[in-house]
Amino acid sequence: MYDLTGATAWTLAEVAAEAAAQTGAPVAYEDLPPEAYRGLLTQAGLPAPAVELIVDSDRCIARVALEHPTGDLRALLGRPTETLAAAVARALKE
């Protein structure tokens, strides 16, 4: 079993800061409490099971439960994984 992560764990605040730096536009990340996030996702029309999955995943991320970078993805790709700056630059091009 592989745990497919990059070499570095990034916070969503770091992703927002990098996007702001590359675009020159303000980009903010706001960590919502679970109930507020659940309400927004429900209001957006997501089905209840998807809402619960997303909210639970967000709670795990907030508790740093998923922050454990491994070398598995690099080994499978046969090359280094992207840096945060490279990943944001690629996403902005797409």
Side-chain angles (χ1 to χ4, degrees):
M1 176 178 242
Y2 293 101
D3 196 354
L4 301 179
T5 69
T8 306
W10 310 320
T11 67
L12 294 176
E14 290 169 327
V15 174
E18 183 63 33
Q22 289 191 32
T23 63
V27 177
Y29 167 70
E30 182 180 348
D31 188 21
L32 297 174
E35 287 307 314
Y37 196 28
R38 181 178 286 109
L40 285 173
L41 295 171
T42 301
Q43 195 173 36
L46 274 70
V51 168
E52 292 309 314
L53 177 66
I54 294 167
V55 170
D56 185 56
S57 295
D58 191 63
R59 268 193 297 244
C60 288
I61 291 167
R63 289 192 315 259
V64 195
L66 303 177
E67 184 183 323
H68 54 279
T70 69
D72 292 350
L73 185 57
R74 178 187 174 137
L76 288 171
L77 293 174
R79 62 169 175 78
T81 54
E82 285 185 319
T83 63
L84 175 57
V88 169
R90 183 176 45 78
L92 290 170
K93 288 179 188 173
E94 295 177 352

